[in-house]
């Protein structure tokens, strides 16, 4: 058990090291003179400014030295300085990350809570035409572009509920009701496609579990059907479901970037897209590094939880 | 060979073929030039002679959707094909040689796989600059680890199989074994995953174009059309409706096809998800 956890921890460190190398190389791979490109759009670019930026990024040093000094800074919380505002990028990211995290948690929560009953119901009505209909609807849900769904929701609310504040953002402290009113549509735009994919996973995991020997045994023993479904089948079906939720979280982050744009939410997505137009590379680099590290660690924790909860995963791994 | 009975497979196949046909034939079947602006016919609702209406510049929405299919499918197909070639080869090579080759290749794939898809694409686009060609490269790189991971498993089994061992004894070269004996047996896995990947690649391409960092104007692109028309959504919703519906239909067709193909080609999965 301890050995397994150590093995996983080593895997985690290798992946995190790789992620940091990719993020590090990003700025170094910009074709041409990165410094000139980064300062390019700025009218008042002087030789001194370029030399200063070059020295700050350490671009005149050998690669290994550059990496070591960069990662050393990262580990001390120094992720670089925003090219445009001169503020530490970590500060700019922390200012925005709350909105994105809230949207992610709300939409994932919405999907997770509804996916279990929806998927179980889909497993229950299985067979014949119902299967095919369920399948078409869930595939349409999975492939629904969140940014289009969001756009349609905005139009629908404009047409039928014009008083509803569909777009924009207010801080929760200033107007809690208005805050959640404005979060409703983004949550639906992001959560509904996820609900479709998660309920499909619950359905097939339920069908799998219901076909297992332990379910047959329980039924043969005369355990009431309710208990068979809830205690024996559902609990086992939740194992693949939890993995899927972990993976979905990373995928969902891509969705938040787009949905923030649709609803004009001041989150991390808008910050990054703005940074591309401004060629604010340190900000893009730091965002990629932080967000990816976050998801890698989340998935690692989910993995560990399994080792504790489900004895079967301890064997082969 | 007996034709599969699954109606969903046929619906998926027809949807995909029609849309690919439309994309290929766009320049000939589009009623108007997708870039031609008719100032007097701005923001028309659907109706003759503009069946999907016109946008804020008086451009024909139907013609723009048809051409949009063309660029969206071209970018998605190029990226999935590239990812399949690179990622698939890496997966098969890792499985065939095992040992350190396997370990190193798959660790690199694990690293690439760790990044959220759109975030990695954004990083690549930031480095290469937002251009239409860049989008295909970015999406391609993002999908490389998916194909490598997917093909490695079955390739590992095939590499241990008797016919591969026999080919080795007969002195067939490593490349000959991989291309002649392993890859053909992976065809069904490749077909299913390529179809499913095309579906998500279409969505990623549309997302990036919607964000303004994918396909660049004036090239008509479905994601870009949706982004541009959103500013006029409340006055003229039709361009937003049609461009978004086209994205959904394209992604839906490939996903349905891939899903039904998986069932048909792999009987063990039949009746599951």
């Amino acid at each position: 058990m301890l050995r397994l956890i150590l093995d996983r921890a080593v895997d985690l460190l290798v992946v995190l090291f790789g992620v940091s190398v990719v993020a590090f190389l990003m700025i170094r791979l910009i074709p041409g003179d990165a410094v000139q490109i980064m300062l390019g759009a700025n009218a008042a670019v002087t030789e001194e400014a370029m030399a200063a930026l070059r020295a700050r990024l350490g671009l005149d040093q050998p690669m290994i030295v550059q990496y070591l000094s960069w990662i050393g800074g990262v580990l001390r919380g120094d992720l670089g300085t925003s090219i445009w505002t001169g503020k530490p990028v970590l500060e700019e990211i922390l200012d925005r990350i709350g909105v994105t995290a809230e949207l992610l948690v709300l939409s994932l929560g919405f999907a997770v809570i509804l996916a279990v009953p929806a998927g179980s119901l889909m497993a229950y009505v299985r067979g014949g035409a119902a299967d095919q209909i369920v399948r078409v609807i869930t595939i349409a849900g999975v492939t629904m572009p969140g940014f289009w769904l969001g756009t349609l929701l905005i139009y629908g609310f404009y047409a039928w509920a014009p008083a509803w504040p569909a777009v924009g953002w207010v801080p929760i402290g200033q107007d809690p009701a208005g805050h959640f009113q404005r979060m409703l549509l983004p949550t639906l735009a992001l959560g509904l496609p996820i609900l479709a994919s998660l309920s499909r996973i619950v359905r097939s995991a339920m069908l799998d579990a219901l076909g297992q020997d332990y379910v047959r045994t329980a039924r043969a023993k005369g355990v009431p059907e309710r208990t068979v479904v809830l205690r024996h089948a559902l609990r086992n079906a939740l194992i693949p479901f939890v993995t899927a939720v972990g993976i979905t979280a990373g995928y969902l982050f891509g969705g938040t970037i787009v949905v923030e744009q649709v609803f004009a939410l001041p989150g991390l997505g808008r910050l990054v897209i703005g940074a591309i137009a401004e060629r604010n590379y340190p900000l893009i680099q730091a965002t990629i590094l932080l967000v990816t590290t976050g998801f890698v660690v989340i998935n690692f924790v989910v993995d560990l939880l399994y080792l504790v909860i489900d004895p079967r995963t301890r064997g082969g791994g | 060979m007996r034709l599969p009975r699954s109606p969903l497979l046929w619906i998926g196949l027809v949807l995909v073929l029609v849309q690919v046909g439309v994309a290929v034939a766009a320049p000939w079947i589009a009623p108007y030039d997708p870039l031609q602006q008719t100032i007097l016919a701005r923001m028309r609702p659907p109706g003759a002679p503009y069946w999907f209406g016109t946008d804020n510049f008086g451009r024909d929405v139907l013609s723009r959707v048809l051409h949009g299919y063309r660029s969206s499918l071209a970018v998605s197909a190029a990226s999935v094909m590239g990812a399949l070639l690179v990622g698939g080869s890496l997966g098969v090579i890792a499985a065939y040689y095992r040992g350190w080759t396997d370990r190193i290749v798959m660790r690199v794939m694990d690293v690439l796989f760790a990044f959220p898809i759109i975030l990695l694409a954004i990083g690549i686009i930031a480095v290469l600059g937002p251009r239409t060609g860049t989008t295909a490269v970015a999406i391609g790189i993002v999908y490389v680890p998916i194909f490598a991971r997917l093909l490695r498993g079955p390739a590992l089994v095939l590499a241990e199989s008797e016919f591969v061992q026999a080919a080795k004894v007969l002195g067939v070269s490593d490349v000959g074994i991989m291309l002649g004996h392993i890859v053909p047996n992976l065809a069904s896995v490749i077909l299913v995953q390529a179809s499913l990947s095309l579906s998500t690649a279409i969505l990623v391409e549309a997302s990036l174009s919607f964000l303004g960092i994918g396909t660049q104007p004036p090239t008509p692109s479905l994601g870009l059309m949706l982004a541009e028309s959103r500013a006029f959504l409340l006055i003229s919703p039709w361009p937003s409706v049609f461009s978004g519906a086209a994205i959904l239909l394209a992604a839906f067709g490939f996903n349905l096809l891939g899903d039904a193909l998986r069932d048909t080609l792999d009987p063990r999965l039949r009746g599951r998800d």
Side-chain angles (χ1 to χ4, degrees):
Chain A
M1 180 77 173
L2 190 66
R3 218 197 113 79
L4 253 170
I5 293 177
L6 279 177
D7 276 358
R8 296 280 165 94
V10 170
D11 284 352
L12 171 79
L13 289 178
V14 171
V15 168
L16 285 181
F17 169 71
V19 167
S20 75
V21 169
V22 172
F24 164 77
L25 285 177
M26 216 192 92
I27 288 190
R28 274 76 189 171
L29 288 176
I30 300 167
D33 185 346
V35 169
Q36 205 164 15
I37 292 171
M38 278 192 249
L39 293 175
N42 197 330
V45 58
T46 58
E47 278 300 317
E48 291 86 73
M50 285 173 62
L53 181 59
R54 201 163 275 139
R56 204 167 70 207
L57 293 172
L59 291 179
D60 41 5
Q61 308 272 325
M63 277 284 193
I64 303 268
V65 177
Q66 288 184 37
Y67 175 78
L68 289 177
S69 79
W70 175 76
I71 195 77
V74 168
L75 293 176
R76 284 192 307 271
D78 172 16
L79 287 145
T81 315
S82 172
I83 299 276
W84 288 83
T85 60
K87 285 204 297 187
V89 287
L90 186 61
E91 214 173 284
E92 299 205 321
I93 292 172
L94 291 179
D95 274 352
R96 302 289 201 100
I97 207 163
V99 177
T100 304
E102 184 189 347
L103 183 56
L104 225 146
V105 169
L106 285 177
S107 49
L108 197 59
F110 163 80
V112 165
I113 289 169
L114 292 181
V116 175
S120 308
L121 188 71
M122 279 153 57
Y124 181 74
V125 300
R126 82 175 287 236
D131 267 0
Q132 314 261 319
I133 294 166
V134 159
R135 206 147 141 194
V136 167
I137 292 174
T138 49
I139 292 181
V142 171
T143 51
M144 172 65 92
F147 48 97
W148 188 50
L149 184 57
T151 306
L152 294 181
L153 286 171
I154 291 175
Y155 190 76
F157 270 71
Y158 162 77
W160 292 299
W164 190 274
V167 183
W169 187 82
V170 288
I172 189 164
Q174 196 184 327
D175 173 10
H179 175 82
F180 285 109
Q181 274 186 326
R182 284 173 180 82
M183 289 307 264
L184 176 73
L185 298 190
T187 302
L188 289 179
L190 207 52
L192 282 172
I194 299 300
L195 171 61
S197 84
L198 288 181
S199 54
R200 257 192 111 179
I201 289 163
V202 171
R203 172 186 177 272
S204 75
M206 268 304 261
L207 288 178
D208 247 13
L210 284 171
Q212 297 292 326
D213 286 344
Y214 53 78
V215 166
R216 211 178 45 197
T217 309
R219 280 194 178 132
K221 277 197 315 191
V223 177
E225 185 63 19
R226 245 178 71 102
T227 318
V228 171
V229 171
L230 293 180
R231 286 217 34 198
H232 296 257
L234 187 61
R235 275 178 73 171
N236 281 286
L238 287 182
I239 291 167
F241 176 66
V242 173
T243 321
V245 172
I247 296 169
T248 305
Y251 166 83
L252 205 55
F253 181 79
T256 57
I257 295 181
V258 188
V259 168
E260 280 171 18
Q261 205 77 3
V262 173
F263 291 95
L265 299 176
L268 209 48
R270 297 198 89 197
L271 187 70
V272 174
I273 299 303
I276 292 188
E278 293 171 345
R279 298 184 176 281
N280 197 344
Y281 290 106
L283 184 55
I284 303 172
Q285 180 187 45
T287 308
I288 293 180
L289 182 69
L290 272 185
V291 171
T292 308
T293 303
F295 286 117
V296 170
V297 172
I298 289 174
N299 279 306
F300 171 73
V301 173
V302 171
D303 262 8
L304 282 194
L305 284 180
Y306 279 143
L307 289 177
V308 179
I309 296 167
D310 185 6
R312 280 173 300 182
T313 54
R314 279 173 218 161
Chain B
M1 195 186 117
R2 205 167 53 85
L3 284 174
R5 281 217 322 258
S6 157
L8 295 187
L9 178 66
W10 292 106
I11 297 172
L13 194 63
V14 168
L15 272 177
V16 164
L17 287 180
V18 168
Q19 294 184 89
V20 170
V22 159
V24 172
W28 296 281
I29 58 174
Y32 296 91
D33 177 344
L35 303 180
Q36 184 202 315
Q37 306 185 359
T38 311
I39 300 301
L40 291 176
R42 285 165 33 178
M43 302 199 224
R44 288 266 179 91
Y50 305 107
W51 295 109
F52 281 12
T54 58
D55 70 2
N56 53 303
F57 290 114
R59 294 176 297 195
D60 179 42
V61 172
L62 174 60
S63 304
R64 290 180 67 70
V65 166
L66 295 177
H67 280 269
Y69 262 116
R70 196 175 163 83
S71 54
S72 296
L73 289 187
V75 169
S76 315
S79 51
V80 170
M81 219 98 94
L84 171 61
L85 274 179
V86 176
S89 310
L90 288 173
V92 171
I93 289 170
Y96 186 78
Y97 290 107
R98 306 178 72 162
W100 279 104
T101 315
D102 186 24
R103 234 167 282 167
I104 291 170
V105 168
M106 294 322 286
R107 274 295 152 84
V108 174
M109 295 298 114
D110 286 347
V111 168
L112 280 182
F113 195 73
F115 293 90
I117 289 184
I118 291 197
L119 199 58
L120 182 57
I122 285 176
I124 298 167
I125 289 170
V127 169
L128 299 177
R131 272 184 296 272
T132 307
T134 309
T135 319
V137 173
I139 302 176
I141 294 176
V142 168
Y143 279 75
V144 161
I146 297 179
F147 281 101
R149 285 180 149 204
L150 193 87
L151 293 190
R152 178 179 167 272
L156 268 176
V157 178
L158 288 167
E160 293 299 308
S161 66
E162 280 183 6
F163 62 88
V164 165
Q165 300 303 324
K168 269 188 195 163
V169 174
L170 289 173
V172 181
S173 70
D174 288 352
V175 176
I177 291 178
M178 283 188 262
L179 289 180
H181 297 273
I182 296 182
V183 172
N185 282 296
L186 294 171
S188 59
V189 184
I190 292 174
L191 211 57
V192 169
Q193 190 57 41
S195 190
L196 293 174
S197 295
L198 271 169
S199 164
T200 49
I202 288 166
L203 292 175
V204 174
E205 192 277 334
S207 304
L208 295 173
S209 298
F210 179 81
L211 292 172
I213 55 175
T215 307
Q216 297 297 309
T219 309
S221 139
L222 298 173
L224 201 56
M225 264 180 86
L226 184 51
E228 285 174 349
S229 60
R230 268 175 39 81
F232 306 92
L233 177 71
L234 303 184
I235 325 171
S236 151
W238 295 107
S240 305
V241 169
F242 286 116
S243 51
I247 298 168
L248 172 63
L249 203 61
F252 176 76
F254 279 105
N255 203 304
L256 188 63
L257 178 67
D259 200 69
L261 269 177
R262 180 169 49 193
D263 266 16
T264 311
L265 295 174
D266 188 351
R268 274 170 307 172
L269 290 175
R270 203 162 282 163
R272 280 184 47 185
D273 58 347

